[in-house]
Structures are given as C-alpha cells and as structure tokens.
Coordinates of all heavy atoms in Angstrom, one line a residue:
H137 N 15.3 0.2 -10.4 CA 14.8 1.4 -9.7 C 13.2 1.5 -9.7 O 12.6 1.9 -8.8 CB 15.4 2.7 -10.2 CG 16.9 2.8 -10.0 ND1 17.7 3.7 -10.7 CD2 17.7 2.0 -9.3 CE1 18.9 3.5 -10.3 NE2 19.0 2.5 -9.5
A138 N 12.7 1.1 -10.9 CA 11.2 1.1 -11.0 C 10.6 0.1 -10.0 O 9.5 0.4 -9.4 CB 10.8 0.7 -12.4
V139 N 11.2 -1.0 -9.8 CA 10.7 -2.0 -8.8 C 10.8 -1.5 -7.4 O 9.8 -1.6 -6.6 CB 11.4 -3.3 -9.0 CG1 11.0 -4.3 -7.9 CG2 11.1 -4.0 -10.3
L140 N 11.9 -0.8 -7.1 CA 12.0 -0.2 -5.8 C 11.0 0.9 -5.5 O 10.5 1.0 -4.4 CB 13.5 0.3 -5.6 CG 14.5 -0.8 -5.6 CD1 15.9 -0.2 -5.5 CD2 14.3 -1.8 -4.5
F141 N 10.7 1.7 -6.5 CA 9.7 2.7 -6.4 C 8.3 2.1 -6.2 O 7.5 2.6 -5.5 CB 9.7 3.7 -7.5 CG 10.7 4.8 -7.4 CD1 11.8 4.9 -8.3 CD2 10.6 5.7 -6.4 CE1 12.7 5.9 -8.2 CE2 11.5 6.8 -6.3 CZ 12.6 6.8 -7.2
L142 N 8.1 1.0 -6.9 CA 6.8 0.3 -6.7 C 6.7 -0.3 -5.3 O 5.6 -0.3 -4.7 CB 6.7 -0.8 -7.7 CG 5.3 -1.5 -7.8 CD1 4.2 -0.5 -8.1 CD2 5.3 -2.6 -8.9
V143 N 7.8 -0.8 -4.7 CA 7.8 -1.2 -3.3 C 7.4 0.0 -2.4 O 6.6 -0.2 -1.4 CB 9.1 -1.8 -3.0 CG1 9.2 -2.1 -1.5 CG2 9.3 -3.1 -3.7
L144 N 8.0 1.1 -2.7 CA 7.7 2.3 -1.9 C 6.2 2.7 -2.0 O 5.5 3.1 -1.0 CB 8.5 3.5 -2.3 CG 8.3 4.8 -1.6 CD1 8.5 4.7 -0.1 CD2 9.2 5.9 -2.2
A145 N 5.6 2.5 -3.2 CA 4.2 2.8 -3.4 C 3.3 1.8 -2.6 O 2.3 2.2 -2.0 CB 3.9 2.8 -4.9
F146 N 3.8 0.6 -2.6 CA 3.0 -0.4 -1.8 C 3.1 -0.1 -0.3 O 2.0 -0.2 0.4 CB 3.5 -1.8 -2.1 CG 3.1 -2.4 -3.4 CD1 3.8 -3.4 -4.0 CD2 1.9 -1.9 -4.0 CE1 3.4 -3.9 -5.2 CE2 1.5 -2.4 -5.2 CZ 2.2 -3.4 -5.9
F147 N 4.2 0.3 0.2 CA 4.3 0.6 1.6 C 3.5 1.8 2.0 O 2.8 1.9 3.0 CB 5.8 0.9 2.0 CG 6.5 -0.3 2.4 CD1 7.5 -0.9 1.7 CD2 6.2 -0.9 3.7 CE1 8.2 -2.1 2.1 CE2 6.9 -2.0 4.1 CZ 7.9 -2.6 3.3
T148 N 3.5 2.8 1.1 CA 2.7 4.0 1.4 C 1.2 3.7 1.3 O 0.4 4.2 2.1 CB 3.0 5.1 0.3 OG1 4.4 5.2 0.2 CG2 2.4 6.4 0.7
S149 N 0.8 2.8 0.4 CA -0.6 2.4 0.4 C -1.0 1.6 1.6 O -2.1 1.8 2.2 CB -0.9 1.5 -0.9 OG -0.6 2.2 -2.1
A150 N -0.1 0.8 2.1 CA -0.4 0.1 3.4 C -0.5 1.1 4.5 O -1.4 0.9 5.4 CB 0.8 -0.9 3.7
A151 N 0.3 2.2 4.6 CA 0.2 3.2 5.6 C -1.2 3.9 5.5 O -1.8 4.1 6.6 CB 1.3 4.2 5.5
I152 N -1.7 4.2 4.3 CA -3.0 4.8 4.2 C -4.1 3.9 4.6 O -5.1 4.3 5.3 CB -3.2 5.3 2.7 CG1 -2.2 6.4 2.4 CG2 -4.6 5.7 2.5 CD1 -2.2 6.8 0.9
W153 N -4.0 2.6 4.3 CA -5.0 1.6 4.8 C -5.0 1.5 6.3 O -6.0 1.3 6.9 CB -4.7 0.3 4.1 CG -5.3 0.2 2.7 CD1 -6.2 1.1 2.2 CD2 -5.0 -0.8 1.7 NE1 -6.5 0.7 0.9 CE2 -5.8 -0.4 0.6 CE3 -4.2 -1.9 1.7 CZ2 -5.8 -1.2 -0.6 CZ3 -4.2 -2.6 0.5 CH2 -5.0 -2.3 -0.6
I154 N -3.8 1.6 6.9 CA -3.8 1.5 8.4 C -4.5 2.8 9.0 O -5.2 2.7 10.0 CB -2.3 1.5 8.9 CG1 -1.8 0.1 8.6 CG2 -2.2 1.7 10.4 CD1 -0.3 -0.1 8.9
M155 N -4.3 3.9 8.3 CA -5.1 5.1 8.8 C -6.6 4.9 8.6 O -7.3 5.5 9.5 CB -4.6 6.3 8.0 CG -3.2 6.8 8.2 SD -2.9 8.3 7.3 CE -4.2 9.4 7.9
L156 N -7.0 4.1 7.7 CA -8.4 3.9 7.5 C -8.9 2.7 8.3 O -10.0 2.2 8.1 CB -8.7 3.6 6.0 CG -8.4 4.8 5.1 CD1 -8.7 4.4 3.6 CD2 -9.3 6.0 5.4
E157 N -8.1 2.2 9.2 CA -8.4 1.1 10.1 C -8.6 -0.2 9.3 O -9.5 -1.0 9.7 CB -9.6 1.4 11.0 CG -9.3 2.5 12.0 CD -10.5 2.7 12.9 OE1 -11.5 1.9 12.9 OE2 -10.4 3.6 13.8
A158 N -7.9 -0.4 8.2 CA -7.9 -1.6 7.5 C -6.6 -2.3 7.6 O -5.8 -2.4 6.7 CB -8.2 -1.4 6.0
E159 N -6.3 -2.8 8.8 CA -5.0 -3.3 9.1 C -4.7 -4.6 8.4 O -3.6 -4.9 8.0 CB -4.8 -3.6 10.6 CG -4.9 -2.3 11.5 CD -6.3 -1.9 11.9 OE1 -7.2 -2.7 11.5 OE2 -6.4 -0.9 12.5
F160 N -5.8 -5.4 8.2 CA -5.6 -6.7 7.5 C -5.1 -6.5 6.0 O -4.2 -7.2 5.6 CB -6.9 -7.5 7.5 CG -6.9 -8.8 6.7 CD1 -6.2 -9.9 7.2 CD2 -7.5 -8.9 5.5 CE1 -6.1 -11.1 6.5 CE2 -7.4 -10.0 4.8 CZ -6.8 -11.1 5.3

C-alpha cells in the first residue's frame, strides 16, 4: 500500500509539473 501511495504521489507531482508547463 505504501508503494501504491507513492505512485499516486508521483502522478500528482507530474500533474503539478504539467500545470507549470514542464511537460518533459
């Protein structure tokens, strides 16, 4: 479950970076 929550954290960080126009 900890690993799955970490995957969710990575996905959310990626969404924030997309909002900041850092798609790469």
